[in-house]
Amino acid sequence: MTRGQIDVAAKSRALSRYGLPKCCLVPVAARSIAAVETYIGQVAPVSHHVAPDRALLVHAYGPPELNLRLPIWALKEAAILHRPRQVWVHVDYRRYREAYAEAFPDESIANIVLDHVLNRRMARATGFEYLRIVPISREANSCSGGLPEKWGVAHQTAPEMTRAIAQSAAFIQYADLGAS
């Protein structure tokens, strides 16, 4: 699949703030469906059972060239990062588990958690309406969140950050692989 456009502001932030190599830039949040289509991939409805503006099946544009010298790409779990088909949901959509099951009917999600890669409270605080969801183990889900998420929301809702967010030119957000 072809590449989408590059959100220069989001890429610059991820490269300078997170220090990630380009092959580890993984979109996790978008301001709108238009931003998903422009920067992440082609959007299709998950199914006729799900409202098309609430859950999206995204056929991701081709990933950046992977640097196979990085140890992350030797892990089988890393395949989820640049998965060609992804489910994205509106930040307020509650039936995301059903949407994921519709999008990937051959995958068993019985013993896994579907995680909003960027916490929904953080997304609301930073103005992102659509979030990527991924299947992860309960153990992995329990290892993050809680206090760091609370601190992050408090930081993002401080008056100076609210002004900075309003002026942000970024339409998407990349994952901070250390602590989204």
Side-chain angles (χ1 to χ4, degrees):
M1 185 169 282
T2 62
R3 292 209 189 279
Q5 294 181 34
I6 300 297
D7 183 336
V8 175
K11 181 179 177 182
S12 174
R13 181 175 191 250
L15 293 175
S16 64
R17 186 170 188 187
Y18 306 148
L20 295 174
K22 291 177 187 174
C23 65
C24 291
L25 294 179
V26 178
V28 297
R31 297 212 185 274
S32 64
I33 292 175
V36 173
E37 291 176 323
T38 301
Y39 302 108
I40 299 164
Q42 296 175 338
V43 173
V46 168
S47 77
H48 64 280
H49 298 103
V50 179
D53 64 336
R54 307 309 270 171
L56 314 171
L57 179 60
V58 177
H59 298 272
Y61 299 127
E65 185 175 335
L66 301 183
N67 179 348
L68 298 177
R69 293 178 305 191
L70 296 175
I72 189 170
W73 304 120
L75 301 172
K76 68 178 173 74
E77 295 85 358
I80 195 80
L81 298 176
H82 292 303
R83 192 172 191 183
R85 290 181 34 213
Q86 305 168 4
V87 175
W88 286 67
V89 296
H90 189 274
V91 68
D92 295 323
Y93 188 59
R94 298 276 181 205
R95 297 177 62 188
Y96 54 89
R97 194 167 182 83
E98 293 171 43
Y100 192 91
E102 289 269 346
F104 298 104
D106 296 335
E107 269 184 46
S108 173
I109 58 172
N111 296 315
I112 59 141
V113 172
L114 289 175
D115 185 47
H116 296 82
V117 181
L118 179 67
N119 161 305
R120 287 186 288 185
R121 290 182 319 166
M122 182 69 83
R124 287 185 195 99
T126 54
F128 290 101
E129 289 190 11
Y130 287 88
L131 304 171
R132 183 174 175 194
I133 58 172
V134 297
I136 63 172
S137 69
R138 290 195 187 286
E139 297 80 16
N141 193 51
S142 298
C143 290
S144 66
L147 195 54
E149 288 177 355
K150 183 178 177 182
W151 288 342
V153 171
H155 173 71
Q156 295 297 341
T157 55
E160 65 275 7
M161 288 307 297
T162 302
R163 284 190 295 279
I165 290 165
Q167 296 171 355
S168 174
F171 291 96
I172 64 170
Q173 180 168 324
Y174 291 105
D176 169 354
L177 298 182
S180 284

